[in-house]
Amino acid sequence: MSPLLLKGVFVHPAAINESPEVGPGTSVSAFSHLLAGARIGENCCIGQHVVVERGAIIGNRVQIKFGVYLGDGVTLEDDVFIGANVTFANNSLTLHPPSPTPQNRIVVQRGASIGANATILPGLHIGSHARIEAGAVVTRDVPPHAIVSGNPAIIRSYVHASKEVSTDPDKRPNSFHPEPGPVPSLRGLAIVPIPLISDLRGSLSFAEIDKGLPFVPKRYFTIFDVPTPEVRGEHAHRQLHQFLVVLHGQCRVAADDGTHRWETVLDSPRTGLHVSPYIWLNLFGFSRDCVLLVLASDVYQENDYIRDYNEFERLVAARSRG
């Protein structure tokens, strides 16, 4: 079949383009095939042996390396990078998958990158600016800015997150630990030292209002028995203040104010973390024995939650302007 010729689009003579919806500045390398019904944006670079099926949507400035199949139901937003031989699974249960549904569509949000030979299972969302390492098998949604690897993939860290590194020789090598006081890179986040009393009877830690505890709590909850791959949090609050302290075990914390990110490990009842409104918080890397206590400044109110990261960014930008 003769390739479709579009103004401003380069299609290699050994490639086939059947889609009229290809943006200017896009190039298609040899032996690739764009089917009718595929939508490709501007200034994209599509490598060799790439197949883009009808119903697939590709944004602007997307790079796709060789050997990638984009089936119906896959959406790549602007500025996404897809490495060689990445697999987007159509359906994990049947050999002949049905037409895509909201349950098995795959969305890779803006600025995310996926390394070579990674596998993305159906129905997943890869958050904006997330990074999937080469060879990862992604079986769960990936939060914005997260770095994941392994099989099954788990969160290892966060992109461009400043990390608090302990100078305590008794701490584990290559781990991150907080220093008391406000976090320099993020407004609205503070490390609070908690007194610890230990003797032959055991240990006791405590905090009092205006003496360590920064607000009067109206609610508490605990998080424990978290399977290793799970991520908790993944939201911000409009009004609520929170105070986090690990009573046993450890977990990792990644905080985001919409501009900067910061990461640490909470692993001692001697350290609390005060989280103010409009801080996006992710909790991950829970040890099996972790018990996390969270004090809250108000009772549960669903309308106080910001659960969509894109909305969070818009609200933070609006606050900074006004």
Side-chain angles (χ1 to χ4, degrees):
M1 180 177 293
S2 299
L4 184 66
L5 299 178
L6 297 172
K7 186 176 181 180
V9 176
F10 172 78
V11 178
H12 191 279
I16 299 174
N17 176 31
E18 300 173 329
S19 173
E21 298 185 74
V22 182
T26 290
S27 64
V28 183
S29 299
F31 313 115
S32 290
H33 190 173
L34 311 183
L35 278 72
R39 292 164 51 191
I40 298 93
E42 301 178 0
N43 299 309
C44 295
C45 182
I46 298 177
Q48 296 185 12
H49 298 281
V50 171
V51 177
V52 184
E53 241 190 12
R54 63 177 182 82
I57 301 172
I58 299 174
N60 300 318
R61 300 174 300 280
V62 173
Q63 294 188 55
I64 304 172
K65 298 302 183 180
F66 63 82
V68 176
Y69 171 78
L70 297 174
D72 187 4
V74 175
T75 296
L76 309 180
E77 295 185 356
D78 294 350
D79 302 302
V80 163
F81 173 86
I82 305 297
N85 297 311
V86 168
T87 298
F88 293 94
N90 290 81
N91 192 294
S92 59
L93 299 177
T94 64
L95 294 176
H96 302 287
S99 298
T101 67
Q103 287 71 41
N104 62 20
R105 293 183 185 277
I106 297 173
V107 177
V108 183
Q109 295 184 322
R110 59 190 174 84
S113 63
I114 302 179
N117 295 300
T119 299
I120 314 297
L121 292 192
L124 298 185
H125 282 66
I126 310 302
S128 60
H129 304 286
R131 192 169 79 203
I132 312 300
E133 300 288 0
V137 178
V138 182
T139 61
R140 301 166 183 265
D141 288 348
V142 177
H145 301 283
I147 302 172
V148 305
S149 64
N151 180 8
I154 62 173
I155 296 175
R156 306 295 182 179
S157 186
Y158 278 77
V159 176
H160 300 145
S162 60
K163 298 177 176 64
E164 298 286 342
V165 182
S166 175
T167 57
D168 186 341
D170 295 331
K171 294 294 186 181
R172 302 174 304 283
N174 302 320
S175 61
F176 315 116
H177 294 274
E179 298 295 332
V183 174
S185 58
L186 271 77
R187 291 178 297 176
L189 203 67
I191 301 298
V192 180
I194 299 175
L196 178 69
I197 301 172
S198 297
D199 58 26
L200 293 176
R201 300 168 295 173
S203 298
L204 179 150
S205 65
F206 65 92
E208 299 175 340
I209 304 299
D210 297 327
K211 294 181 180 179
L213 194 59
F215 56 83
V216 178
K218 294 186 178 180
R219 174 171 62 106
Y220 87 89
F221 57 92
T222 55
I223 299 173
F224 55 94
D225 289 342
V226 179
T228 300
E230 292 293 338
V231 181
R232 302 298 302 248
E234 295 189 88
H235 59 255
H237 288 278
R238 292 175 167 84
Q239 302 290 335
L240 191 77
H241 289 254
Q242 296 182 98
F243 187 80
L244 284 64
V245 56
V246 165
L247 303 180
H248 196 265
Q250 71 169 47
C251 72
R252 293 173 71 173
V253 177
D256 182 339
D257 66 0
T259 303
H260 303 97
R261 283 168 295 285
W262 174 86
E263 185 179 324
T264 194
V265 168
L266 293 179
D267 62 354
S268 170
R270 294 181 295 180
T271 302
L273 180 65
H274 176 207
V275 183
S276 297
Y278 290 95
I279 294 290
W280 187 273
L281 202 66
N282 286 328
L283 307 172
F284 64 106
F286 287 83
S287 63
R288 292 288 183 180
D289 60 346
C290 180
V291 179
L292 173 65
L293 172 67
V294 182
L295 303 178
S297 63
D298 204 350
V299 298
Y300 175 84
Q301 298 186 57
E302 177 59 32
N303 60 7
D304 188 66
Y305 283 76
I306 308 168
R307 300 189 183 274
D308 179 82
Y309 187 80
N310 291 332
E311 179 190 6
F312 167 72
E313 288 187 309
R314 290 192 295 269
L315 290 172
V316 168
R319 281 165 54 87
S320 64
R321 291 193 300 267

